[in-house]
Amino acid sequence: MTAPALSAPKITVANPGWLTAAIMLATIMQVLDTTIANVALPHMAASLGATQEEITWVLTSYIVASAIATPMTGWVADKVGRRMVFMGAIIGFTLTSVLCGLSLGLPEMILFRVFQGIFGAVLIPLAQAVLLDINPREKVGQAMAIYGAGIMVGPIIGPTLGGYLTEVFNWRYVFFINLPIGVVALLGVMAFMPREEIRHRKFDLFGFSMLAIAMGSLQLMLDRGQSEGWFESVEIWLYLGLTISGMWAFVIHCLDNQDAFVDLKMFRDRNFVMGLVFIFIIGMTLFSGLALLPPLLQKLLGYPVIETGLVMAPRGVGTMVSMILVGRLVARFDARGLVLFGLLVTAASLHVMAGFDTQMGSMPIMVSGVMQGFGLGFVFVPLSTLTYATIETKYRADATAFFSLVRNVGSGVGISVVTAVLSRMTTVNHEEIASTLTASAPELRAALPQLMSNSAYYASIADQLVSQQSAMIAYIDNFILMFVFTLAVVPIVFLLRNPKHHAPKT
């Protein structure tokens, strides 16, 4: 019995396997840079003569620049051609990475990070668009599994790799490591990516400007909110006003202008819109967990940097295993069922994390990490397949750009939420626990009888123990919140259409 014939891909390439490898190298390089520099910030601050607050602009500048530049992906790709854009982005990202590593002061570091964010912004959405176009519809699931592995494993191994390079070599190697990866990716794209017909599109300066103001202001609000006291600060209110007014002006402009920066007709596709809502919430849970675990392990449980990376590494193993499995299963089973299964496994992992305590070993952390990585792998791949299953192919470049943008915004919102909850609940828990530690409390007399002698030393020990327990409870509160967020998207699964019954238009 012969295998059924595969449908023709939108773009035919001679070596799709090698092209996929080159594209994914570039993608992993970009994704790594969103997290690899985090653990090196204290070393950077000392080397560049910056304060702890100033050095965070190394992260903020990259995130804001990337958020502003991502929506331009579709227009630039149509105007110049995907091959030229990909090559230019890889060259620019690699060179600015080297310049970041050579920086001698904070201003030049921030400048190079801005350009790094601009060049890197197009890599992820373009990679997804190219993989969708060079594979027949029957193999899109496998292609998205490869793509998802790069997107999800990158942030997981980033802190581990960053910590290793910083401790063994120097923080500058966090950026220098992109040089060999970038060179190999560039050579692969030059050799295997074909030239495409250029589609002339008028550049909508007003529409882009409004969207850029909205996205940039939103990212600044999310990044600066915690340090500025959120809405107690005039600065945060200004960012909120710019976000709302910029987005409002952008939508109105696109509705009234035929040559708008983005064709809003693509949002008529139900799967695409539901996919955006879905990935926004998944972005919140995926990156929030990655942001919470390093400080939990290092500051609260006393793990060194490298050991923290090793304890978190099983999460990547779970993701890789699920990617291998789901790439094969998505062609045989209803993708919606796979997403639902992944959500339930992810929720179960968060339930395990809600049982963490200060006396536990590393096993609960690794087990929950494997479960969460495995579950998110089952969510991301079929979700990507469902999101683009019914959308017209002419919208793919813009659609993948918005998918990437919404995922990043979701991660920013999620990190801001869990950081605020952690800070607030740590204070509340400390006050509540401390209020129960009276001289008449039998538990206190039994555990630390020296406190009855009014010793400042033992009072300090008691305060440290209270602070530790308060922070642990605050982390658990966040894990419970993420558990609720994960279950909240379950109903969206049933709003997605089965791609086998709704083929996309060409």
Side-chain angles (χ1 to χ4, degrees), residues 42 118 215 261 340:
I118 292 172
M215 291 297 100
F261 181 66
L340 182 59

Side-chain angles (χ1 to χ4, degrees), residues 130-150:
V130 171
L131 289 177
L132 286 168
D133 286 347
I134 67 173
N135 284 281
R137 187 159 48 88
E138 295 80 5
K139 290 191 174 182
V140 164
Q142 296 177 26
M144 289 301 97
I146 297 172
Y147 171 79

Side-chain angles (χ1 to χ4, degrees), residues 349-473:
S349 73
L350 291 167
H351 185 267
V352 173
M353 295 171 74
F356 283 1
D357 62 71
T358 55
Q359 304 300 318
M360 67 180 178
S362 60
M363 187 57 67
I365 303 167
M366 292 190 289
V367 169
S368 62
V370 170
M371 291 174 63
Q372 192 167 120
F374 186 83
L376 288 170
F378 265 84
V379 171
F380 191 86
V381 175
L383 175 62
S384 298
T385 305
L386 288 165
T387 301
Y388 306 111
T390 56
I391 198 167
E392 294 182 48
T393 54
K394 67 180 180 179
Y395 294 132
R396 275 182 178 171
D398 285 331
T400 52
F402 267 86
F403 190 78
S404 178
L405 179 64
V406 170
R407 186 187 68 247
N408 289 336
V409 170
S411 68
V413 171
I415 290 172
S416 296
V417 168
V418 298
T419 302
V421 170
L422 182 64
S423 175
R424 172 63 179 163
M425 294 310 299
T426 298
T427 302
V428 171
N429 295 333
H430 191 283
E431 292 175 354
E432 290 185 357
I433 295 174
S435 66
T436 64
L437 298 181
T438 62
S440 60
E443 296 85 356
L444 183 61
R445 289 177 175 272
L448 205 61
Q450 296 89 340
L451 271 178
M452 300 303 104
S453 63
N454 294 322
S455 168
Y457 172 74
Y458 288 107
S460 174
I461 293 178
D463 184 66
Q464 290 177 13
L465 292 173
V466 171
S467 297
Q468 185 185 43
Q469 291 299 323
S470 301
M472 189 73 248
I473 296 172

